Amino acid sequence: QITLKESGPTLVKPTQTLTLTCSFSGFSLSTTGVGVGWIRQPPGKALECLALIYWDDDRQYSPSLKSRLTITKDTSKNQVVLTMTDMDPMDTATYYCVHQYDDNAFDFWGHGTLVTVSS
Amino acid sequence: DIVMTQTPLSLPVTPGEPASISCRSSQSLLNSDDGNIYVDWYLQKPGQSPQLLIHTLSYRASGVPDRFSGSESGADFTLKINRVEAEDVGLYYCMQRIEFPYSFGQGTKLEIK
């Protein structure tokens, strides 16, 4: 059974760097075709795809946020980490971790973690 | 980025009646190499994470009831629910997966009359 769980701070100050961790089970990021990504949802707004990392360490970033995002994986720990620099109140959102296989749709989602950016 | 435009944004439905949600993309979602159309549909039930309903235009995800179906008509992609049930309430999103960044529609809120 595949599960994903997001963890990280619930409150960050403007200009700070956000670090989120996705801990997963039921699959390995060393398996060919597997990917893990991050999606966010500002309160009352639509979903936005931020970044994806694949089994072969290939990475994709949203162009509008690319300069602020870094996604990494630790296969031995079954974790994926997303860092976002220079946080702004507009970055307040629920951040979801997702599983993807073979470039297919996101078939498993974490419960999400709400991050508020405020001084 | 590819823009996905959903209509309607709000959809009140009587239980047992059909429902339909449309999504239009700003660019083609057809992969000419494999002939697939890369649009997916998700349902976010109140207080929950989104869940996959339909992938690659018309394939139901595992465990999704057959009252849900996906299709295309010209430039529009459509999610249809044959007979709406109370458990179908929530926000429905289309998502394009032809190119990164994958992008979502604004969401359609389905509610029970």
Side-chain angles (χ1 to χ4, degrees), chain A residues 41 47 49 52 60-61 63 96 100 103-106 109-111, chain B residues 40 42 44 49-50 52 55 93 95 97 100-102 104-106:
Chain A
Q41 185 175 35
L47 300 155
C49 195
L52 276 167
Q60 297 201 81
Y61 294 102
Y96 295 99
Q100 183 185 45
D103 292 328
N104 284 321
F106 300 132
W109 295 60
H111 289 300
Chain B
D40 309 316
Y42 295 87
Q44 186 174 29
S49 308
L52 178 64
H55 70 89
Y93 293 96
M95 184 192 86
R97 192 166 36 93
F100 203 85
Y102 302 158
F104 294 85
Q106 317 96 299

Side-chain angles (χ1 to χ4, degrees), chain B residues 29-97:
Chain B
L29 304 186
L30 171 65
N31 184 317
S32 57
D33 292 333
D34 60 18
N36 287 326
I37 294 175
Y38 287 97
V39 63
D40 309 316
W41 291 92
Y42 295 87
L43 165 59
Q44 186 174 29
K45 295 183 177 182
Q48 296 186 19
S49 308
Q51 60 188 82
L52 178 64
L53 291 176
I54 302 286
H55 70 89
T56 323
L57 181 66
S58 60
Y59 297 91
R60 276 188 302 276
S62 176
V64 174
D66 61 7
R67 65 177 182 276
F68 290 92
S69 64
S71 63
E72 69 161 332
S73 177
D76 289 337
F77 309 106
T78 302
L79 174 71
K80 292 181 180 177
I81 310 173
N82 278 348
R83 295 172 303 280
V84 171
E85 298 185 5
E87 65 179 21
D88 299 335
V89 297
L91 279 162
Y92 289 79
Y93 293 96
C94 58
M95 184 192 86
Q96 66 79 18
R97 192 166 36 93

Side-chain angles (χ1 to χ4, degrees), chain A:
Chain A
Q1 181 186 358
I2 289 176
T3 64
L4 306 103
K5 185 175 182 179
E6 307 85 352
S7 60
T10 57
L11 179 66
V12 297
K13 291 180 167 50
T15 75
Q16 286 186 336
T17 294
L18 171 68
T19 299
L20 293 173
T21 300
C22 174
S23 301
F24 55 84
S25 63
F27 66 95
S28 172
L29 243 183
S30 61
T31 300
T32 299
V34 173
V36 171
W38 288 93
I39 294 171
R40 72 177 178 179
Q41 185 175 35
K45 296 187 178 181
L47 300 155
E48 180 183 16
C49 195
L50 303 178
L52 276 167
I53 190 165
Y54 299 92
W55 85 101
D56 58 358
D57 212 33
D58 187 24
R59 305 163 201 207
Q60 297 201 81
Y61 294 102
S62 171
S64 63
L65 293 167
K66 187 174 183 177
S67 63
R68 299 173 54 205
L69 294 174
T70 303
I71 189 168
T72 59
K73 62 181 175 71
D74 186 329
T75 304
S76 64
K77 291 184 178 179
N78 283 347
Q79 289 181 336
V80 168
V81 174
L82 181 76
T83 60
M84 180 180 293
T85 61
D86 195 24
M87 293 292 284
D88 181 271
M90 295 283 287
D91 296 314
T92 294
T94 296
Y95 288 75
Y96 295 99
C97 177
V98 294
H99 168 272
Q100 183 185 45
Y101 178 71
D102 222 17
D103 292 328
N104 284 321
F106 300 132
D107 50 0
F108 294 93
W109 295 60
H111 289 300
T113 184
L114 176 61
V115 178
T116 301
V117 185
S118 174
S119 54

